[in-house]
Amino acid sequence: MELHDVWFVLIAVLWTGYFFLEGFDFGVGVLTKLLARNRPEKRVLINTIGPVWDGNEVWLLSAGGATFAAFPEWYATLFSGFYLPLLLILVCLIVRGVAFEYRVKRPEENWQRNWETAIFWTSLIPAFLWGVAFGNIVHGVKIDQDFNYAGGVLDLLNPYALLGGLVTLALFTFHGTVFVGLKTVGEIRERARKLALRVGPVTALLALAFLLWTQSDRGDGASLVALVAAVASLVVALIAARARREGWAFALSGLTIVATVAMLFLTLFPNVMPSTLNPDWSLTVTNASSSPYTLKIMTWCAAIATPVVMVYQGWTYWVFRKRIGTQHIAETVH
């Protein structure tokens, strides 16, 4: 396997880790409007992801940085062609981080309510737009002979990509509900389980439609295995949620995300951005990659740094593993 193939796999792993981890905290952000009934319950939801949300975003920074260094042509075409949606995602992530920190800085009702609304929308919008973005990457976009994006913003809002956005939004919301069930106690835990049982079937139907479309468009035997794994994991996650086995439900909903992202990258390879204008103008792991020397240096750096980051993040989750409830929220901090 060539180094550019290795880095394609590593970038796929980084995006998978990002969607697995950031997926549930996007879902929790959406649930602040759908699940919480009062301010202490909203605080409980925010506290479930408070110690980890910023660490989850490290995976996004790593994926973007790895793409820039390993596949500069891919990075240039992607970020120029998808400039507006990616800028909107970036703005949402900035506002979302500020909202987490600023919400309790003042006691006024309007102040806290406005920041809570910001958390909801800045969780929902990226959860939808990431699906739209990856739908376009996999399905293909208008790339000319100079590897420049030749379409417009409206070209990105095609049916396949919009369905992909609905899938990621629904899947992240379901992932968030089972995470809340895993991390909370009391009434909010039970409501999270009931909501998961309502959101799960809708998610399964959307995911099945999207993955079957992907399989019929560009799939092969390997992607078919990933499709079956994704759908089966989601169904079993629903069964586990119904049985109040939150740990299994969370692991299986995460496996659904892993299998879904794996399928997208399997159908994409060896392309990194297919061209709908001419297949010969597609960006591939070969024509979009950096020099072998650059990839070699990157590989050594990744081999040293990645285990350290993963061990530290795993330790963070272990430290903050206990369940919480409204009884843990101070009356003066709502």
Side-chain angles (χ1 to χ4, degrees), residues 13-14 81 152 154 212 247 251 298 300 317:
V13 170
L14 290 171
L154 295 180
L212 286 174
M298 288 176 60
W300 279 106
Y317 276 91

Side-chain angles (χ1 to χ4, degrees), residues 196-206 238:
L197 296 178
R198 293 198 298 269
V199 173
V202 176
T203 304
L205 290 175
L206 289 172
L238 273 168

Side-chain angles (χ1 to χ4, degrees), residues 263-279:
M263 181 183 178
L264 295 180
F265 276 92
L266 284 169
T267 57
L268 186 61
F269 185 83
N271 294 320
V272 293
M273 283 191 76
S275 173
T276 57
L277 299 178
N278 188 331

Side-chain angles (χ1 to χ4, degrees), residues 97-294:
V98 172
F100 284 137
E101 300 298 330
Y102 274 36
R103 176 186 172 274
V104 294
K105 297 300 182 182
R106 289 170 56 179
E108 291 88 344
E109 177 76 15
N110 286 341
W111 173 271
Q112 296 192 4
R113 185 173 58 248
N114 289 339
W115 285 119
E116 289 162 1
T117 301
I119 290 172
F120 170 77
W121 285 109
T122 56
S123 297
L124 185 149
I125 292 172
F128 175 75
L129 288 181
W130 279 127
V132 173
F134 270 83
N136 279 290
I137 291 172
V138 173
H139 196 62
V141 292
K142 295 179 180 178
I143 299 176
D144 62 22
Q145 65 270 29
D146 297 319
F147 301 139
N148 294 321
Y149 178 66
V153 174
L154 295 180
D155 292 317
L156 302 178
L157 302 179
N158 56 80
Y160 176 81
L162 292 174
L163 178 59
L166 292 176
V167 169
T168 52
L169 176 58
L171 187 53
F172 291 170
T173 303
F174 176 73
H175 198 38
T177 59
V178 294
F179 178 77
V180 171
L182 179 65
K183 286 289 294 179
T184 60
V185 295
E187 185 181 353
I188 195 169
R189 176 187 178 188
E190 182 62 21
R191 290 208 308 273
R193 186 187 71 86
K194 291 179 179 179
L195 183 59
L197 296 178
R198 293 198 298 269
V199 173
V202 176
T203 304
L205 290 175
L206 289 172
L208 182 61
F210 178 73
L211 295 179
L212 286 174
W213 191 342
T214 305
Q215 179 68 22
S216 65
D217 192 23
R218 298 179 180 273
D220 56 15
S223 62
L224 180 60
V225 172
L227 185 157
V228 173
V231 175
S233 298
L234 186 53
V235 171
V236 180
L238 273 168
I239 296 172
R242 184 179 295 275
R244 293 179 170 82
R245 302 296 298 271
E246 292 95 346
W248 281 106
F250 178 72
L252 288 163
S253 68
L255 182 58
T256 302
I257 293 174
V258 171
T260 299
V261 178
M263 181 183 178
L264 295 180
F265 276 92
L266 284 169
T267 57
L268 186 61
F269 185 83
N271 294 320
V272 293
M273 283 191 76
S275 173
T276 57
L277 299 178
N278 188 331
D280 294 334
W281 298 343
S282 298
L283 287 167
T284 69
V285 293
T286 304
N287 63 25
S289 68
S290 295
S291 67
Y293 180 76
T294 299

Side-chain angles (χ1 to χ4, degrees), residues 24-33 49 96 116 119-120 123:
F24 72 75
D25 74 47
F26 280 149
V28 172
V30 173
L31 293 177
T32 56
K33 288 286 188 182
I49 59 174
R96 187 168 180 263
E116 289 162 1
I119 290 172
F120 170 77
S123 297

